[in-house]
Amino acid sequence: SNTPFESPYGVAAGGENQILVADTGNKRIATIAVPAAGTEILYLSLARGGTADGIPFADEDILHYHSEDNSWYHFLNGSALGLQYVDIDAFSVQEDGAVLLSIDRRLYLTDVGWVGGEDILQYADSRLTLFLDGSTVGLSGASENVDAIAFSPDGRLLVSSSGNSNTPRTGGGRLFTADEDLIVFNPLSGPRGKGSWELFLDGSDIF
């Protein structure tokens, strides 16, 4: 089914190469197919805490599922990083093991300062740093909370927001996008500096 999750509460291993998700808002148990053994690892962070095959987790954690041994493990313990009062609502695991992540609301972190839903943090070398200050690149307000992070084939940063966004457009003017769209960042001086955005994927074209 293509029905989006609404308040997913818990996950568990199902049959061979399957993940079961308790989709409480839609009153269903959803089945997700995962790659065959030894091919990939599945990473998840959910909107509520729960257990995954007996492994307890909170909404600030990231889990990974190993298809090879059909087991769940903690990948990132958010409370150990000071994230126990927020939810990780977007993340991307990089090839070198670093994690880019965004949170759902404003929070003060001792080593970083104030961060909000428009910002992107990087976890590497056992610490959090600021990867992208959303306020310097036109992201602000509740509707421009980052809720998806990825990279384009040419290595540029991709994000989606939880609501409509109004950002500086590459080439001039303003770029108006909706929550189903993906926008790509074109930096002026490196990925953390100022820059502008262009539309990468118009979600209304596929839904």
Side-chain angles (χ1 to χ4, degrees):
S1 170
N2 292 322
T3 303
F5 290 127
E6 183 178 340
S7 300
Y9 186 75
V11 295
E16 184 177 0
N17 301 327
Q18 289 183 336
I19 303 298
L20 304 179
V21 180
D23 186 10
T24 57
N26 291 310
K27 298 180 180 179
R28 63 170 184 157
I29 301 296
T31 301
I32 301 175
V34 298
T39 57
E40 288 189 36
I41 296 174
L42 177 68
Y43 297 91
L44 288 176
S45 182
L46 298 181
R48 290 186 180 182
T51 60
D53 199 22
I55 304 297
F57 64 89
D59 58 0
E60 70 270 15
D61 298 335
I62 297 176
L63 301 174
H64 58 162
Y65 171 78
H66 287 227
S67 58
E68 186 171 5
D69 60 3
N70 195 35
S71 298
W72 287 95
Y73 302 89
H74 268 115
F75 180 74
L76 185 146
N77 183 350
S79 62
L81 302 176
L83 304 178
Q84 62 267 31
Y85 302 114
V86 297
D87 175 26
I88 293 178
D89 59 356
F91 72 91
S92 176
V93 179
Q94 308 304 295
E95 290 185 1
D96 62 0
V99 182
L100 300 183
L101 63 93
S102 187
I103 57 179
D104 65 339
R105 56 190 177 274
R106 192 166 166 81
L107 176 71
Y108 184 81
L109 295 169
T110 302
D111 295 331
V112 180
W114 285 103
V115 293
E118 72 276 10
D119 301 321
I120 297 177
L121 297 164
Q122 178 175 263
Y123 175 71
D125 300 322
S126 301
R127 67 189 188 102
L128 283 173
T129 55
L130 185 64
F131 180 82
L132 182 77
D133 183 345
S135 65
T136 68
V137 294
L139 295 173
S140 63
S143 68
E144 293 177 348
N145 168 61
V146 174
D147 65 358
I149 302 170
F151 285 89
S152 65
D154 60 5
R156 293 179 296 164
L157 177 68
L158 297 170
V159 304
S160 183
S161 62
S162 60
N164 296 336
S165 64
N166 175 0
T167 53
R169 181 194 295 269
T170 300
R174 307 297 298 181
L175 177 65
F176 298 93
T177 53
D179 59 349
E180 69 268 20
D181 300 330
L182 276 174
I183 56 177
V184 59
F185 182 57
N186 294 311
L188 292 177
S189 56
R192 306 182 202 187
K194 294 184 177 181
S196 57
W197 302 86
E198 62 182 289
L199 183 65
F200 183 81
L201 175 69
D202 184 343
S204 64
D205 288 342
I206 57 177
F207 292 108

mmCIF file of all heavy atoms in Angstrom, residues 105-127:
data_model
loop_
_atom_site.group_PDB
_atom_site.id
_atom_site.type_symbol
_atom_site.label_atom_id
_atom_site.label_comp_id
_atom_site.label_asym_id
_atom_site.label_seq_id
_atom_site.Cartn_x
_atom_site.Cartn_y
_atom_site.Cartn_z
ATOM 1 N N ARG A 105 11.863 20.607 16.860
ATOM 2 C CA ARG A 105 11.593 21.866 17.530
ATOM 3 C C ARG A 105 12.875 22.445 18.116
ATOM 4 O O ARG A 105 13.909 21.790 18.145
ATOM 5 C CB ARG A 105 10.533 21.714 18.611
ATOM 6 C CG ARG A 105 10.818 20.672 19.665
ATOM 7 C CD ARG A 105 9.595 20.451 20.542
ATOM 8 N NE ARG A 105 9.781 19.406 21.529
ATOM 9 C CZ ARG A 105 9.578 18.119 21.301
ATOM 10 N NH1 ARG A 105 9.184 17.712 20.102
ATOM 11 N NH2 ARG A 105 9.766 17.233 22.252
ATOM 12 N N ARG A 106 12.776 23.664 18.590
ATOM 13 C CA ARG A 106 13.924 24.420 19.075
ATOM 14 C C ARG A 106 14.515 23.787 20.342
ATOM 15 O O ARG A 106 13.789 23.327 21.222
ATOM 16 C CB ARG A 106 13.482 25.863 19.348
ATOM 17 C CG ARG A 106 14.602 26.860 19.577
ATOM 18 C CD ARG A 106 14.031 28.268 19.489
ATOM 19 N NE ARG A 106 14.946 29.271 20.000
ATOM 20 C CZ ARG A 106 15.964 29.775 19.327
ATOM 21 N NH1 ARG A 106 16.205 29.339 18.103
ATOM 22 N NH2 ARG A 106 16.747 30.702 19.858
ATOM 23 N N LEU A 107 15.858 23.793 20.411
ATOM 24 C CA LEU A 107 16.549 23.155 21.521
ATOM 25 C C LEU A 107 17.913 23.813 21.697
ATOM 26 O O LEU A 107 18.565 24.189 20.724
ATOM 27 C CB LEU A 107 16.734 21.658 21.237
ATOM 28 C CG LEU A 107 17.517 20.838 22.261
ATOM 29 C CD1 LEU A 107 16.710 20.661 23.546
ATOM 30 C CD2 LEU A 107 17.898 19.474 21.683
ATOM 31 N N TYR A 108 18.349 23.923 22.955
ATOM 32 C CA TYR A 108 19.696 24.424 23.221
ATOM 33 C C TYR A 108 20.640 23.255 23.473
ATOM 34 O O TYR A 108 20.382 22.408 24.342
ATOM 35 C CB TYR A 108 19.712 25.355 24.445
ATOM 36 C CG TYR A 108 21.074 25.957 24.690
ATOM 37 C CD1 TYR A 108 21.509 27.062 23.974
ATOM 38 C CD2 TYR A 108 21.948 25.386 25.624
ATOM 39 C CE1 TYR A 108 22.765 27.610 24.181
ATOM 40 C CE2 TYR A 108 23.211 25.909 25.831
ATOM 41 C CZ TYR A 108 23.606 27.023 25.108
ATOM 42 O OH TYR A 108 24.857 27.547 25.299
ATOM 43 N N LEU A 109 21.716 23.203 22.716
ATOM 44 C CA LEU A 109 22.742 22.173 22.879
ATOM 45 C C LEU A 109 24.030 22.836 23.359
ATOM 46 O O LEU A 109 24.472 23.828 22.770
ATOM 47 C CB LEU A 109 22.991 21.440 21.564
ATOM 48 C CG LEU A 109 21.825 20.612 21.023
ATOM 49 C CD1 LEU A 109 22.107 20.161 19.599
ATOM 50 C CD2 LEU A 109 21.559 19.411 21.922
ATOM 51 N N THR A 110 24.637 22.296 24.377
ATOM 52 C CA THR A 110 25.793 22.931 25.016
ATOM 53 C C THR A 110 26.910 23.239 24.027
ATOM 54 O O THR A 110 27.487 24.333 24.043
ATOM 55 C CB THR A 110 26.336 22.020 26.139
ATOM 56 O OG1 THR A 110 25.292 21.781 27.092
ATOM 57 C CG2 THR A 110 27.515 22.678 26.834
ATOM 58 N N ASP A 111 27.225 22.310 23.150
ATOM 59 C CA ASP A 111 28.362 22.488 22.241
ATOM 60 C C ASP A 111 27.997 23.183 20.933
ATOM 61 O O ASP A 111 28.883 23.491 20.130
ATOM 62 C CB ASP A 111 28.997 21.133 21.920
ATOM 63 C CG ASP A 111 29.621 20.476 23.138
ATOM 64 O OD1 ASP A 111 30.050 21.219 24.048
ATOM 65 O OD2 ASP A 111 29.671 19.236 23.192
ATOM 66 N N VAL A 112 26.709 23.432 20.727
ATOM 67 C CA VAL A 112 26.265 24.003 19.452
ATOM 68 C C VAL A 112 25.549 25.336 19.646
ATOM 69 O O VAL A 112 25.704 26.265 18.860
ATOM 70 C CB VAL A 112 25.329 23.016 18.711
ATOM 71 C CG1 VAL A 112 24.874 23.605 17.382
ATOM 72 C CG2 VAL A 112 26.025 21.686 18.484
ATOM 73 N N GLY A 113 24.763 25.451 20.721
ATOM 74 C CA GLY A 113 23.912 26.623 20.917
ATOM 75 C C GLY A 113 22.473 26.292 20.555
ATOM 76 O O GLY A 113 22.079 25.124 20.511
ATOM 77 N N TRP A 114 21.693 27.320 20.267
ATOM 78 C CA TRP A 114 20.297 27.111 19.897
ATOM 79 C C TRP A 114 20.179 26.578 18.478
ATOM 80 O O TRP A 114 20.814 27.105 17.557
ATOM 81 C CB TRP A 114 19.516 28.412 20.015
ATOM 82 C CG TRP A 114 19.201 28.807 21.435
ATOM 83 C CD1 TRP A 114 19.823 29.773 22.176
ATOM 84 C CD2 TRP A 114 18.197 28.226 22.267
ATOM 85 N NE1 TRP A 114 19.273 29.822 23.437
ATOM 86 C CE2 TRP A 114 18.276 28.896 23.524
ATOM 87 C CE3 TRP A 114 17.257 27.213 22.103
ATOM 88 C CZ2 TRP A 114 17.438 28.579 24.586
ATOM 89 C CZ3 TRP A 114 16.418 26.907 23.159
ATOM 90 C CH2 TRP A 114 16.510 27.575 24.382
ATOM 91 N N VAL A 115 19.398 25.533 18.323
ATOM 92 C CA VAL A 115 19.098 24.993 16.992
ATOM 93 C C VAL A 115 17.595 24.779 16.893
ATOM 94 O O VAL A 115 16.900 24.640 17.902
ATOM 95 C CB VAL A 115 19.830 23.648 16.729
ATOM 96 C CG1 VAL A 115 21.325 23.871 16.653
ATOM 97 C CG2 VAL A 115 19.501 22.621 17.797
ATOM 98 N N GLY A 116 17.094 24.773 15.668
ATOM 99 C CA GLY A 116 15.662 24.587 15.447
ATOM 100 C C GLY A 116 15.395 23.599 14.340
ATOM 101 O O GLY A 116 16.318 22.995 13.769
ATOM 102 N N GLY A 117 14.131 23.452 14.009
ATOM 103 C CA GLY A 117 13.740 22.483 12.996
ATOM 104 C C GLY A 117 14.231 22.802 11.603
ATOM 105 O O GLY A 117 14.248 21.933 10.732
ATOM 106 N N GLU A 118 14.638 24.057 11.375
ATOM 107 C CA GLU A 118 15.151 24.448 10.055
ATOM 108 C C GLU A 118 16.640 24.163 9.895
ATOM 109 O O GLU A 118 17.192 24.306 8.797
ATOM 110 C CB GLU A 118 14.890 25.939 9.816
ATOM 111 C CG GLU A 118 15.754 26.887 10.625
ATOM 112 C CD GLU A 118 15.233 27.170 12.035
ATOM 113 O OE1 GLU A 118 14.289 26.492 12.470
ATOM 114 O OE2 GLU A 118 15.787 28.078 12.692
ATOM 115 N N ASP A 119 17.302 23.759 10.974
ATOM 116 C CA ASP A 119 18.742 23.515 10.948
ATOM 117 C C ASP A 119 19.063 22.043 10.704
ATOM 118 O O ASP A 119 18.244 21.163 10.959
ATOM 119 C CB ASP A 119 19.379 23.944 12.276
ATOM 120 C CG ASP A 119 19.154 25.412 12.582
ATOM 121 O OD1 ASP A 119 19.210 26.227 11.645
ATOM 122 O OD2 ASP A 119 18.915 25.736 13.760
ATOM 123 N N ILE A 120 20.286 21.787 10.239
ATOM 124 C CA ILE A 120 20.766 20.422 10.071
ATOM 125 C C ILE A 120 22.032 20.259 10.898
ATOM 126 O O ILE A 120 22.970 21.057 10.798
ATOM 127 C CB ILE A 120 21.049 20.089 8.593
ATOM 128 C CG1 ILE A 120 19.756 20.159 7.779
ATOM 129 C CG2 ILE A 120 21.672 18.698 8.459
ATOM 130 C CD1 ILE A 120 19.949 19.923 6.291
ATOM 131 N N LEU A 121 22.032 19.233 11.747
ATOM 132 C CA LEU A 121 23.185 18.899 12.574
ATOM 133 C C LEU A 121 23.964 17.749 11.959
ATOM 134 O O LEU A 121 23.407 16.956 11.192
ATOM 135 C CB LEU A 121 22.730 18.501 13.976
ATOM 136 C CG LEU A 121 22.023 19.578 14.803
ATOM 137 C CD1 LEU A 121 21.292 18.939 15.984
ATOM 138 C CD2 LEU A 121 23.007 20.621 15.278
ATOM 139 N N GLN A 122 25.228 17.659 12.297
ATOM 140 C CA GLN A 122 26.052 16.522 11.875
ATOM 141 C C GLN A 122 26.599 15.816 13.100
ATOM 142 O O GLN A 122 27.146 16.454 14.003
ATOM 143 C CB GLN A 122 27.204 16.977 10.991
ATOM 144 C CG GLN A 122 28.128 15.826 10.570
ATOM 145 C CD GLN A 122 29.191 16.252 9.589
ATOM 146 O OE1 GLN A 122 29.048 16.082 8.397
ATOM 147 N NE2 GLN A 122 30.263 16.837 10.094
ATOM 148 N N TYR A 123 26.420 14.492 13.125
ATOM 149 C CA TYR A 123 27.015 13.676 14.176
ATOM 150 C C TYR A 123 28.195 12.924 13.583
ATOM 151 O O TYR A 123 28.044 12.106 12.680
ATOM 152 C CB TYR A 123 26.000 12.694 14.749
ATOM 153 C CG TYR A 123 26.595 11.748 15.765
ATOM 154 C CD1 TYR A 123 26.985 12.218 17.019
ATOM 155 C CD2 TYR A 123 26.782 10.406 15.477
ATOM 156 C CE1 TYR A 123 27.552 11.364 17.962
ATOM 157 C CE2 TYR A 123 27.339 9.548 16.413
ATOM 158 C CZ TYR A 123 27.721 10.032 17.643
ATOM 159 O OH TYR A 123 28.283 9.186 18.566
ATOM 160 N N ALA A 124 29.380 13.219 14.087
ATOM 161 C CA ALA A 124 30.605 12.550 13.641
ATOM 162 C C ALA A 124 31.632 12.667 14.752
ATOM 163 O O ALA A 124 31.626 13.642 15.520
ATOM 164 C CB ALA A 124 31.137 13.184 12.359
ATOM 165 N N ASP A 125 32.508 11.697 14.848
ATOM 166 C CA ASP A 125 33.552 11.693 15.875
ATOM 167 C C ASP A 125 32.955 11.862 17.272
ATOM 168 O O ASP A 125 33.493 12.576 18.128
ATOM 169 C CB ASP A 125 34.586 12.791 15.610
ATOM 170 C CG ASP A 125 35.281 12.620 14.269
ATOM 171 O OD1 ASP A 125 35.549 11.463 13.897
ATOM 172 O OD2 ASP A 125 35.536 13.627 13.590
ATOM 173 N N SER A 126 31.782 11.227 17.491
ATOM 174 C CA SER A 126 31.116 11.178 18.796
ATOM 175 C C SER A 126 30.627 12.529 19.295
ATOM 176 O O SER A 126 30.442 12.735 20.500
ATOM 177 C CB SER A 126 32.041 10.559 19.860
ATOM 178 O OG SER A 126 32.418 9.255 19.490
ATOM 179 N N ARG A 127 30.371 13.487 18.379
ATOM 180 C CA ARG A 127 29.837 14.770 18.814
ATOM 181 C C ARG A 127 28.958 15.382 17.728
ATOM 182 O O ARG A 127 29.058 15.037 16.542
ATOM 183 C CB ARG A 127 30.955 15.739 19.206
ATOM 184 C CG ARG A 127 31.833 16.198 18.050
ATOM 185 C CD ARG A 127 33.032 16.975 18.546
ATOM 186 N NE ARG A 127 33.781 17.582 17.450
ATOM 187 C CZ ARG A 127 33.697 18.853 17.120
ATOM 188 N NH1 ARG A 127 32.900 19.664 17.799
ATOM 189 N NH2 ARG A 127 34.404 19.338 16.115
#
